Amino acid sequence: MTVENLMDKLVSHCKANGFMFQSSEIYGGLNGFWDYGPLGVELKRNIKEAWWKDMYQSHNELACPPSAPSTYDMVGLDCTIIMHPQVWKCSGHYDLFHDFMVDCRKTKKRYRFDQLRGRWVSQGPQRIFVTTMAEPEQEQEDIARRALKFFNLRSKDIERLTFEERVLTFDKLDESDRAKVLGPDTEEIGTLTDPREFNLMFKTYVGALSGEEGAAFLRPETAQGIFVNFKNVVDSTRIRVPFGVAQVGKSFRNEITPRNFTFRSREFEQMEIEFFCHPSQSANWYQYWRNRRLQWYKDLGLDSDRLRLREHDHDELSHYSCGTADIEYAFPFLPPGEYGELEGIAHRGDFDLRSHSEGKLDPKKRPLEVELDEQGNPKHRGSGKDLTYRDDLTNERFIPHVIEPSAGVDRLILALISNAFQETTSTDDKGKSETRTVMKFHPRVAPVKVGIFPLLKNKPELVAKAREVFQTLRGQMMCFYDDAGAIGRRYARQDEAGTPFCVTIDFDTLGEKPELLNTVTVRHRDDGKQERIPIAELQGWLLARVR
Ligand code: GAP
C-alpha cells in the first residue's frame, strides 16, 4: 500500500466511524482544526486519563521508581489559556517563537521557508530551481511536470532536462539564486519573496480595549502556566524538590502549513510535566524521564520498531534548552526510515524560572544573562518575584532546574490510530472477497471496551438477559449494545471501532445446556477466539483487561 493510499484510508476510516472530522466541514472546513467524533472523544479521554493516572495519580512518592535518582512528588495544575502578555515576553515566545515564511507575489500563497523542497533542473544553458509542496512520493513527478511546462516541452522530451541529484529546501539556497526559483504554484520564476518572520502565537484582545493595550495571546504551550505558578505551588503544598507538576490542556499555534491530518494542527492538546530538581541532579533526571516516557508509549501498545528516541543536535535546540531528546514515531505519511515527533523531553535548566523572575534571559549568552535593550534596560521585565527555592533540611537556596516531558495528545492519537489500523481480505466459498478493517487498539485506550449482543433480537428472553448484562456493565466501562443484523456483522462493526471484546448472550446462557446456564460467549477482537465466562465473573474479568 502506498503512503497516500494508507493515509487516505485512515482519514476516511476516521470520518466514517466517527473518530475525527474536519472542523466546520459543512462550510468547507478550516485548515489545521479537527473535531473528535463519538469514538474519537473516548479515545482522547482514555489517552489523557492514562497519562494523568500513570504520571500523577498513581505515582507513589514514598517509593523510588526503578532507575530514578530518588523518590519525588507530583502534583497537578490547570491554568488558563490566556495569560498576562508579559508571560510570553519573558518566556521568549514573543521574540523567538516564529517560523520563517516566504510569500508568492503572484498567487499570494505562503510557504514555510524550511519546508519548501525542490531540485535544480537545467535545459541547455538555463538552470532553474523547481519547488514543490507535493508529498514525498509525488515530489519528483511534480517537479518533472512543472519543469517540462516551464521549458515548454512535452513529456516525451523529458530526456532534454537535467535533474540535479539532491533535493534541497529553499532555505539552503544562496540568496543570489532566489531569482531562479520556480514557486510551487506558479509558472514563472522569481515570484517568491525573501523570508520573513511570522510569529506563531494567535493574538486576541481582552476586554473592551482593542489596541495593543488589550492585546493578549492564546498559549502556544501549557508549560508557562506551570512556571508562573511555581511559587504558588510550593507555598500551598509544602512540596519539596524534586517534584513534578502535571498539566493537560489546549495549546494554539498559527502554523503556516498545517498538514498530515492532525500531526500539525493549529489547535491541539498537550500533556506536560515540568519537573523541578536540584541543578546537580538534573542530568540524571533528564535520563530518567527520557527512558520512562519512551516506555510509556510501548506500554500503550505502539510498536517498538516504529518508535525511537533521538537526541537533538546542538543547532536544533529550542532557545531555552540545554538538551532535548524527541520520542519519534514512524508515521505512515512519512517515507520509510523517517520519523515524526510525538514528544520532546527537554532539559530547560533554570531559563524559565529566572526569566520570570529577573527578566527575559538572552538565550545566546553563556552563562545566561538578562537580555538588555539599546538603553541597557531589561528588554522584557520579569515579575521581580523571588522564584528561588529553599531546601528546609539543608537550608540551601537555589533556582531549580527543569526537565520537561512534553507530549501531544493529537499526535499520539494519530500514532495509535495508524498503529491499530489493519486490513484483512478473505474470500468466501463463492469466491467473493471482502476486506475488513480491524482497529487493534490497546484495550486501555480503546473507545468502547465491550460490545453486548443478544444472539437474536426477536427472542425476548435473549434480549432481556442481554439488556441486564448491559445494565450491570455500563457504569463501569464504555459498552455498546447492538441487536441489529447478523452476529458476524455486529462483530465486524466493533472491530472497525477497535472494541477489544464482544459478549454474546445465546440460548446456552438461558440454560439450553444446563452446565452453561448464566454464562456468555466472550469473543476476542485480535484473534477471533471465543471463551465462555460466567456472568457473575464478567465484570471483574473485563475490568482486569481494559484498565
Ligand atoms: N513546552 C514545550 C513544547 O511545547 P514542543 O516540542 O513545541 O514543546 C510538544 O511541543 C509536543 O506538542 C510535540 O511533541 C507535539 O506532540 C505537540 N505539538 C506541537 N506542535 C503541534 C502541532 N502544531 N500540532 C499538533 N501537536 C503539536
Side-chain angles (χ1 to χ4, degrees):
M1 205 185 314
T2 64
V3 167
E4 288 77 46
N5 257 337
L6 177 57
M7 278 315 287
D8 288 349
K9 281 184 178 185
L10 280 180
V11 174
S12 60
H13 184 82
C14 283
K15 181 175 174 189
N17 288 276
F19 283 100
M20 279 177 239
F21 311 122
Q22 169 127 56
S23 163
S24 328
E25 196 189 77
I26 59 167
Y27 287 104
L30 189 60
N31 204 6
F33 296 89
W34 295 91
D35 294 335
Y36 287 86
L39 285 184
V41 70
E42 282 305 311
L43 178 61
K44 194 178 198 192
R45 287 178 70 96
N46 292 343
I47 289 167
K48 290 192 285 182
E49 271 164 27
W51 184 89
W52 191 250
K53 182 157 182 252
D54 295 349
M55 296 302 118
Y56 166 40
Q57 282 178 334
S58 42
H59 170 68
N60 179 353
E61 64 270 31
L62 303 180
C64 182
S67 74
S70 68
T71 56
Y72 62 91
D73 281 325
M74 283 296 296
V75 291
L77 210 57
D78 184 24
C79 307
T80 58
I81 284 167
I82 296 177
M83 299 165 70
H84 194 294
Q86 199 65 14
V87 170
W88 306 110
K89 293 188 173 158
C90 288
S91 70
H93 288 82
Y94 188 78
D95 292 339
L96 296 166
F97 193 58
H98 51 238
D99 279 339
F100 282 96
M101 49 94 193
V102 291
D103 288 320
C104 177
R105 293 187 198 89
K106 200 88 192 164
T107 62
K108 310 289 176 235
K109 290 200 174 173
R110 179 167 281 179
Y111 312 95
R112 235 173 87 169
F113 189 41
D114 59 348
Q115 276 181 355
L116 207 47
R117 289 157 65 88
R119 279 173 85 175
W120 284 104
V121 187
S122 326
Q123 197 225 357
Q126 193 175 10
R127 182 172 173 258
I128 62 164
F129 187 77
V130 184
T131 58
T132 176
M133 287 300 285
E135 295 298 331
E137 283 208 345
Q138 278 139 20
E139 204 165 75
Q140 182 45 31
E141 198 187 312
D142 191 53
I143 291 174
R145 185 182 53 77
R146 298 185 44 252
L148 283 167
K149 190 153 190 202
F150 178 82
F151 288 113
N152 224 349
L153 296 172
R154 285 183 292 175
S155 313
K156 65 181 176 54
D157 300 322
I158 191 87
E159 303 290 300
R160 292 171 59 189
L161 297 179
T162 310
F163 293 87
E164 289 178 28
E165 197 52 42
R166 254 176 5 121
V167 174
L168 297 172
T169 46
F170 191 38
D171 58 335
K172 301 288 178 323
L173 297 190
D174 285 343
E175 249 179 85
S176 56
D177 280 335
R178 286 187 195 147
K180 300 175 198 153
V181 174
L182 181 68
D185 300 288
T186 47
E187 291 170 9
E188 56 187 281
I189 54 174
T191 62
L192 297 182
T193 62
D194 284 335
R196 283 194 288 242
E197 281 180 12
F198 177 79
N199 195 297
L200 299 184
M201 285 195 292
F202 278 101
K203 205 173 193 179
T204 187
Y205 296 90
V206 175
L209 300 169
S210 61
E212 278 313 291
E213 249 182 292
F217 300 94
L218 306 193
R219 68 181 176 199
E221 60 171 20
T222 61
Q224 296 303 322
I226 301 179
F227 295 126
V228 300
N229 274 299
F230 172 77
K231 193 171 154 44
N232 282 337
V233 170
V234 171
D235 292 349
S236 61
T237 58
R238 296 186 307 132
I239 206 163
R240 303 193 61 244
V241 165
F243 69 86
V245 183
Q247 176 167 216
V248 179
K250 290 259 184 179
S251 292
F252 301 81
R253 296 182 188 180
N254 199 0
E255 300 282 358
I256 298 168
T257 42
R259 63 205 303 202
N260 295 326
F261 206 6
T262 59
F263 184 82
R264 194 172 298 287
S265 310
R266 289 177 165 144
E267 175 174 342
F268 55 96
E269 270 189 273
Q270 291 185 309
M271 307 182 287
E272 297 199 293
I273 295 173
E274 304 306 321
F275 189 81
F276 300 93
C277 59
H278 192 280
S280 65
Q281 283 295 309
S282 59
N284 296 337
W285 282 111
Y286 176 55
Q287 290 300 323
Y288 167 74
W289 280 108
R290 284 176 10 148
N291 300 339
R292 168 102 195 261
R293 294 297 306 145
L294 179 64
Q295 189 56 43
W296 189 75
Y297 290 103
K298 294 182 182 169
D299 294 344
L300 225 54
L302 289 183
D303 290 346
S304 300
D305 52 3
R306 297 185 73 87
L307 275 170
R308 75 171 187 189
L309 191 89
R310 187 182 64 84
E311 195 75 45
H312 278 208
D313 293 335
H314 196 73
D315 59 357
E316 267 185 280
L317 295 178
S318 312
H319 58 270
Y320 50 74
S321 182
C322 23
T324 296
D326 283 345
I327 296 175
E328 299 181 328
Y329 181 75
F331 285 96
F333 54 80
L334 295 167
E338 286 192 21
Y339 292 76
E341 178 187 334
L342 261 185
E343 165 160 351
I345 297 111
H347 185 311
R348 293 173 79 128
D350 58 8
F351 182 91
D352 303 274
L353 289 181
R354 276 187 60 200
S355 286
H356 286 304
S357 171
E358 300 166 26
K360 190 203 154 212
L361 300 176
D362 185 343
K364 291 191 246 33
K365 292 264 170 63
R366 287 290 179 275
L368 290 166
E369 291 171 12
V370 172
E371 192 171 338
L372 302 177
D373 64 14
E374 278 123 33
Q375 286 76 46
N377 299 316
K379 188 169 178 206
H380 298 301
R381 263 175 220 294
S383 65
K385 298 279 183 297
D386 179 6
L387 299 182
T388 55
Y389 170 83
R390 190 180 67 83
D391 187 318
D392 53 7
L393 295 182
T394 62
N395 228 3
E396 186 189 1
R397 189 171 276 286
F398 59 94
I399 302 177
H401 274 195
V402 170
I403 310 301
E404 175 195 68
S406 170
V409 179
D410 310 76
R411 285 199 190 166
L412 176 53
I413 291 175
L414 186 54
L416 287 167
I417 284 179
S418 320
N419 204 80
F421 184 85
Q422 291 200 5
E423 276 186 337
T424 50
T425 305
S426 57
T427 312
D428 68 15
D429 356 336
K430 295 184 192 109
K432 196 175 154 221
S433 68
E434 190 195 13
T435 301
R436 288 180 46 192
T437 302
V438 184
M439 297 298 285
K440 294 194 170 178
F441 291 121
H442 189 291
R444 205 171 165 206
V445 295
V448 178
K449 308 301 184 193
V450 57
I452 295 160
F453 316 145
L455 183 63
L456 299 172
K457 85 170 189 192
N458 53 5
K459 293 283 170 204
E461 320 85 279
L462 291 177
V463 170
K465 197 71 181 169
R467 284 172 170 262
E468 193 185 308
V469 171
F470 177 74
Q471 296 302 346
T472 52
L473 294 179
R474 63 183 286 277
Q476 303 298 317
M477 65 194 89
M478 273 303 291
C479 305
F480 188 82
Y481 180 86
D482 191 1
D483 59 11
I487 201 84
R489 196 57 228 128
R490 286 183 256 168
Y491 284 151
R493 281 199 288 265
Q494 291 310 309
D495 286 349
E496 285 171 2
T499 307
F501 305 106
C502 289
V503 166
T504 305
I505 286 77
D506 56 19
F507 292 106
D508 289 338
T509 313
L510 304 180
E512 196 164 282
K513 285 197 194 110
E515 69 278 16
L516 295 181
L517 176 68
N518 283 329
T519 64
V520 290
T521 301
V522 178
R523 180 247 191 198
H524 295 245
R525 175 197 63 203
D526 293 348
D527 54 12
K529 286 209 179 108
Q530 304 197 351
E531 59 184 302
R532 213 68 207 177
I533 309 272
I535 290 174
E537 290 168 23
L538 188 61
Q539 182 170 313
W541 188 96
L542 286 166
L543 285 176
R545 285 162 179 77
V546 302
R547 275 192 174 159

